[in-house]
Amino acid sequence: MKKLKRLLFTFVLLAILVLVAVLAYNAIKFSSKQVKIDPAPDLPLNENITSRLTQAIQIPTISYDTHIDTAAFVAFNQYLDSLFPVITTQLDTHTINGFSRIYKWHGQNTTLKPILLMAHIDVVPVEADTREAWTTDPFSGKIIDGHIYGRGAIDDKLSLVGMLEAIELLVAEEYFPNRTVYLAFGHDEEVGGTNGAVAIVEYFKNQNIQFEYILDEGSLVTEGNMPGLDRPLGLIGIAEKGMVTLTLTARTDGGHSSMPPAQTAIGALSKAIATLEANPMPATFAGPTQLMLDHAGPETDFLMKMVLANTWLFGGILKSELGKKNTGNAVIRTTTAVTMIDGGIKDNVLPKHATAKVNFRIHPKNTIEDVVNYVKKTVNDDRITIEIDPTPQNPSKISDHKSFGFQVIQRTLQETFTDVVVAPSLVVAATDSRHFRDVADNTYRFMPIQLNNEELKGIHGTNERISVENYKQAIRFYYRLIKNSCQ
């Protein structure tokens, strides 16, 4: 018996040693995918470089769900023409649906496919009850403690004006691109892009234009968001999630509240909502998320590297930990968000129906049909009907992380940001670029700025702001990107 116990102990010990050896070997084999790139020569920018962005912020080009202030958009485009006179004279300008803009900078080699840099003119409203929480007026463009404040300081006038500043600098140097460069600025991105981006795409299709790559807003350089990584992480979006909103309606008999059934329409709807929230769609590392882990993982400390190199063993734990944070959860699954609810007319009347809007951001592994089927199966209640709201969108296709476009964006990112780790990523929000699938094989989503978690809260939130130095980095990035793409 003792001999058997010793044999069993030896076997378990050997098994543990083998397991540890395999884990360590996989971690060691988990080699870096970073490219060695030297920093670009410094591009001096004077302090006045901020003036055109601050003035752009002062024009409230707000998109509302039902309308826009047309006067503000007319004023904005007039502003661009007056303050970027070199661009107006050197580049072809085309206006789409009154407010969206296309610029064309002719390249010398017409055999090369052009590139497209995108941004959008419109911004989201500022809720009335949050204005007092702002450090300064949301449309002041004021610089406070080295930061430019206001709607659009990040999303997305920073990109728009930064691109134009970079081209102004290049034209002043008498630079002529070898490849044609297009700029496209939609005016209704924040409400879906129907009159802006969609119409711009139709223009390009009618012109039979296919792009080498497209770059739009999206991911950025983050700090402290990946365990075990003590360097900035530059994420280049190679895909974005889809979106569908489902209307769930519970129907029951009405009547007087003094004689209620075991569950009212509101109760049935509440049960369905609680069930959906308690049972999210399955998590996955497939696609862009796995690529992000593969590229960033080798740069982490050894313990984290061991975890990421052995997801066959630690995958469940890793998904569980990522799922505890909103940002982590968003990149590993199709997310469920109950955003609106309505039911009842009086406190002593049983409602005959109650409705809820549930917004799903669809992971590239899933489709709209997958979401609907999952909700039906999960809710499993004949009293609940499910309808798809208008304009659902499947996830974008996944762009190639080994293409010319990705490589030139990666190179430019490493040239302009210090000691940054670069990785492909999944963009969890929607951008105008989702409409451009017919005019380019590869579309990327990246904003050339570095934000901490506190600054990230300003996007669509209170005190949206960007540091002056960050803005200068964005200009340097676009300046280098055009040169790198058009050699």
Side-chain angles (χ1 to χ4, degrees):
M1 191 66 178
K2 287 183 179 180
K3 187 176 180 180
L4 181 61
K5 286 182 178 180
R6 283 197 301 269
L7 188 62
L8 183 61
F9 175 78
T10 302
F11 176 77
V12 170
L13 182 60
L14 283 172
I16 292 172
L17 291 173
V18 169
L19 177 61
V20 171
V22 169
L23 296 179
Y25 173 75
N26 286 343
I28 293 168
K29 197 173 64 171
F30 199 35
S31 59
S32 178
K33 294 178 177 61
Q34 300 303 302
V35 180
K36 185 72 173 175
I37 300 292
D38 293 329
D42 185 40
L43 177 65
L45 299 171
N46 62 47
E47 291 305 315
N48 294 332
I49 201 77
T50 61
S51 64
R52 289 190 273 215
L53 176 59
T54 59
Q55 291 177 67
I57 291 169
Q58 292 168 17
I59 304 173
T61 49
I62 302 170
S63 279
Y64 299 96
D65 288 337
T66 57
H67 69 284
I68 63 171
D69 179 357
T70 57
F73 286 83
V74 169
F76 187 84
N77 283 332
Q78 290 175 343
Y79 156 82
L80 292 184
D81 292 340
S82 65
L83 288 185
F84 291 99
V86 173
I87 287 176
T88 304
T89 57
Q90 296 292 322
L91 278 64
D92 294 344
T93 305
H94 189 75
T95 301
I96 301 286
N97 281 344
F99 310 109
S100 293
R101 279 286 179 92
I102 296 173
Y103 293 88
K104 180 181 181 181
W105 193 7
H106 290 270
Q108 298 176 87
N109 187 347
T110 57
T111 65
L112 295 175
K113 283 186 179 180
I115 64 169
L116 174 62
L117 307 181
M118 292 174 57
H120 60 87
I121 297 168
D122 60 325
V123 298
V124 295
V126 176
E127 296 179 12
D129 60 352
T130 67
R131 279 184 174 259
E132 291 185 1
W134 280 72
T135 299
T136 185
D137 183 273
F139 294 97
S140 69
K142 189 176 290 185
I143 299 176
I144 302 172
D145 295 331
H147 285 74
I148 305 166
Y149 278 72
R151 272 287 178 262
I154 297 175
D155 186 15
D156 184 31
K157 288 179 179 176
L158 171 142
S159 298
L160 188 154
V161 182
M163 291 173 189
L164 295 176
E165 293 283 5
I167 292 179
E168 282 268 319
L169 290 168
L170 289 164
V171 171
E173 295 175 2
E174 298 185 349
Y175 173 81
F176 296 98
N178 201 30
R179 182 194 303 272
T180 295
V181 178
Y182 281 91
L183 307 179
F185 304 148
H187 72 273
D188 61 347
E189 188 272 347
E190 297 292 2
V191 290
T194 303
N195 294 309
V198 173
I200 291 170
V201 171
E202 286 306 307
Y203 172 83
F204 288 138
K205 288 168 71 173
N206 290 336
Q207 298 290 315
N208 293 317
I209 296 170
Q210 283 286 316
F211 295 101
E212 180 65 40
Y213 74 85
I214 295 174
L215 178 64
D216 195 11
E217 63 175 334
S219 302
L220 38 78
V221 181
T222 65
E223 304 169 7
N225 283 321
M226 184 162 187
L229 183 65
D230 59 3
R231 296 159 60 191
L233 178 60
L235 298 172
I236 301 172
I238 60 172
E240 67 180 58
K241 298 178 91 172
M243 179 176 65
V244 63
T245 296
L246 302 182
T247 298
L248 274 59
T249 303
R251 290 182 172 86
T252 58
D253 294 333
H256 198 284
S257 64
S258 61
M259 296 177 289
Q263 200 169 53
T264 67
I266 293 174
L269 181 65
S270 299
K271 179 184 176 184
I273 290 171
T275 301
L276 285 176
E277 290 188 328
N279 297 277
M281 292 189 72
T284 179
F285 293 139
T289 302
Q290 185 62 60
L291 287 171
M292 186 270 288
L293 297 176
D294 289 345
H295 282 71
E299 314 308 316
T300 59
D301 60 37
F302 189 77
L303 181 60
M304 193 63 194
K305 191 187 297 187
M306 185 178 289
V307 171
L308 295 174
N310 294 282
T311 53
W312 60 274
L313 179 62
F314 299 115
I317 297 172
L318 187 57
K319 288 174 184 175
S320 176
E321 288 303 308
L322 286 171
K324 291 176 183 178
K325 290 188 176 182
N326 296 343
T327 52
N329 189 57
V331 298
I332 61 172
R333 61 163 45 90
T334 293
T335 53
T336 305
V338 183
T339 54
M340 299 175 70
I341 191 164
D342 180 59
I345 57 170
K346 201 170 183 293
D347 65 350
N348 63 350
V349 176
L350 298 174
K352 287 189 174 183
H353 60 83
T355 63
K357 300 280 188 184
V358 188
N359 182 258
F360 296 85
R361 297 301 172 114
I362 309 170
H363 190 279
K365 188 180 179 182
N366 301 129
T367 64
I368 295 167
E369 185 180 8
D370 291 338
V371 174
V372 174
N373 290 338
Y374 187 84
V375 171
K376 286 179 179 177
K377 181 179 178 181
T378 303
V379 170
N380 192 27
D381 189 334
D382 293 337
R383 296 171 298 176
I384 307 292
T385 60
I386 299 167
E387 296 177 82
I388 302 175
D389 281 17
T391 65
Q393 190 85 36
N394 272 314
S396 73
K397 65 181 181 181
I398 300 173
S399 296
D400 185 0
H401 70 286
K402 296 181 180 179
S403 72
F404 169 80
F406 186 91
Q407 290 176 351
V408 79
I409 295 167
Q410 176 177 5
R411 173 184 169 185
T412 307
L413 174 52
Q414 291 180 289
E415 285 179 341
T416 50
F417 287 82
T418 303
D419 196 31
V420 64
V421 174
V422 181
S425 72
L426 174 64
V427 174
V428 299
T431 71
D432 266 347
S433 66
R434 70 188 186 277
H435 301 296
F436 285 71
R437 61 171 65 89
D438 291 337
V439 294
D441 290 332
N442 291 302
T443 297
Y444 303 100
R445 301 153 184 89
F446 174 71
M447 293 186 73
I449 52 176
Q450 183 171 333
L451 300 183
N452 58 37
N453 289 330
E454 187 60 32
E455 291 168 325
L456 281 168
K457 295 176 184 177
I459 302 174
H460 285 206
T462 302
N463 283 330
E464 182 178 348
R465 64 197 183 278
I466 190 71
S467 73
V468 170
E469 186 51 39
N470 238 327
Y471 177 52
K472 288 181 178 179
Q473 283 295 83
I475 295 170
R476 293 184 183 108
F477 174 89
Y478 291 122
Y479 175 93
R480 292 296 310 168
L481 181 67
I482 292 170
K483 279 197 165 184
N484 289 337
S485 300
C486 303
Q487 292 175 348

